[in-house]
Amino acid sequence: MISVSEAYNIVLSQTTNYGIEEVDLKDAIGRVLASDVFADRPFPPFDRVTMDGIAISYDAYNNNKRTFQIESIAPAGSPQGTLQSNLKCIEVTTGAVLPFATDTVIRYEDLSIIEGSVTINSIVKQGQNVHNLGSDHGHDSVLLNEGHTIKAIDINVLATVGMNHITVIRRPTIAIISSGDELVSVDSIPLPHQIRMSNVHMIKARLTELDIVSDHFHIQDNEAEIQKTLTVLIEKYDVILMSGGVSKGKFDFIPDALTSIGVECLFHKVAQRPGKPLWFGRNEKVTVFAFPGNPVSTLACFHKYFVPWLSKAIGESYLSPSVIIRSDIAFKPNLTFFAQANIEFEQGKIYAKISKGNGSGDMVHTTMMDGFVELPKGKDVYKAGEVYSFIPFHSILK
Ligand code: AMP
Ligand code: MG
């Protein structure tokens, strides 16, 4: 049985490039740029007035002139005007093009205006309140780099350069498959020996949070049916996420079914708890993660292996912060232990308060937790104050 770090390295060595696609600006948040974004004009594109007030020639002020007649007005959105006489001024508004023959703007707060005659009441610096053409970025300069993940604040830049359509890294298409004769749909009343399927809905919801669309299928514990369904789905999707049917039970047909249809097993079983029976494999087209069906096992495998794999495949960064454990944890088996925990921030440090729950079937406990602390195998006791990796299962920074 391989270790968690061996399994992790195998998974991350198997990322595929899914190519590129075009999305509308409104759908671009969270997507990764497939090429640099350039300035189509200088930033700003003209000498931009930054205060409502008057524009003057600084020379006049420098020659001790303090009172100016208003010659005209230059509102934002009008073509560039010209100051005819430098003994006069032009009224301007924020966002206007600075008129020819002016170089300095004085805001209304520093003026008194009586019948079209303006007097300056403050010290004036040449060029004040003007955002000069190209002073942020020149024409054709790179504003956002290829590989950048588009966030809401980036939309400002993309909109300004007129990018209504954006070329981004394509995301894989994903099928989620539940398996098990005991599972019934959410809208059914389960018989005493049945349960409602939940895992797959949790996976789908997590994918939605990660902004990935997926389809769900269910198969019974029937060898022929499993083979038939998988044969169709591995042709149709880039990634298959399965839940259940990979352990040692008499009806755990999935590993054999996958290899029989040409999906190569890269590992089966990892020295970890929960999630030991995890199966991972691929053919030249599809990548398959087959998670054990217990809710906490699925949760651990999905976040430890699939999320970093997906981040790498689509060019996003993945962060697994280090945390300090609050108290001693005893764990005897020679397995890596994914211990559920809450995160606490204190004086610039991140602490994890571990709370074990009632085993890998106890899904209710997970709802109160923030993620897993990864306690590597090879120890019996993990001491308070020691530092380990944390695997969040939702955003811990709101
Ligand atoms: P398995 O991995 O198929 O041996 O299943 C392990 C446990 O997880 C069993 O108790 C299953 O009933 C349960 N289980 C499997 N799939 C799901 C699912 N989609 N939702 C909820 N529980 C499941
Ligand atoms: Mg099963």
Side-chain angles (χ1 to χ4, degrees), residues 21-74:
E21 65 181 344
E22 204 169 79
V23 292
D24 290 350
L25 181 64
K26 67 178 172 39
D27 301 320
I29 292 178
R31 303 304 300 265
V32 176
L33 286 171
S35 54
D36 292 341
V37 170
F38 295 94
D40 65 331
R41 307 162 76 193
F43 267 59
F46 47 80
D47 288 331
R48 185 180 70 93
V49 171
T50 66
M51 287 285 174
D52 297 315
I54 59 163
I56 61 163
S57 159
Y58 182 77
D59 278 352
Y61 175 87
N62 208 25
N63 289 328
N64 292 322
K65 187 162 173 57
R66 293 293 178 271
T67 299
F68 297 79
Q69 291 297 115
I70 298 173
E71 192 180 273
S72 59
I73 178 155

Side-chain angles (χ1 to χ4, degrees), residues 227-237:
Q227 243 191 47
K228 200 170 132 210
T229 309
L230 282 175
T231 306
V232 175
L233 296 182
I234 62 168
E235 282 303 313
K236 229 177 127 189
Y237 290 88

Side-chain angles (χ1 to χ4, degrees), residues 274-349:
K276 192 157 100 184
L278 173 65
W279 190 101
F280 176 71
R282 65 173 301 165
N283 65 16
E284 58 295 333
K285 185 185 172 294
V286 77
T287 306
V288 180
F289 292 79
F291 306 128
N294 265 311
V296 189
S297 309
T298 298
L299 190 68
C301 294
F302 179 89
H303 289 90
K304 170 64 190 176
Y305 301 100
F306 172 74
V307 173
W309 175 89
L310 176 72
S311 302
K312 191 174 170 203
I314 63 179
E316 280 183 6
S317 56
Y318 173 77
L319 179 70
S320 173
S322 295
V323 296
I324 304 164
I325 58 171
R326 279 264 192 229
S327 52
D328 291 1
I329 299 293
F331 182 74
K332 291 251 162 32
N334 191 25
L335 302 170
T336 292
F337 180 34
F338 295 115
Q340 292 175 59
N342 284 120
I343 287 303
E344 293 167 346
F345 295 94
E346 208 176 283
Q347 296 188 326
K349 293 179 176 161

Side-chain angles (χ1 to χ4, degrees), residues 299 340 342 362-370 393-394:
L299 190 68
Q340 292 175 59
N342 284 120
D362 183 4
M363 68 172 89
V364 177
H365 186 259
T366 62
T367 65
M368 294 172 271
M369 299 287 111
D370 295 318
F393 45 66
H394 53 72

Side-chain angles (χ1 to χ4, degrees), residues 178-179 182-183 195 197-200 243-245 247 252 292-294:
S178 50
S179 69
E182 74 280 30
L183 303 176
I195 57 167
M197 63 182 75
S198 59
N199 269 341
V200 282
S243 161
S247 307
D252 289 337
N294 265 311

Side-chain angles (χ1 to χ4, degrees), residues 28-33 148-152 154-155 158 166 168:
I29 292 178
R31 303 304 300 265
V32 176
L33 286 171
H148 180 85
T149 301
I150 300 169
K151 294 170 284 304
D154 301 320
I155 301 295
L158 294 166
I166 298 151
V168 296

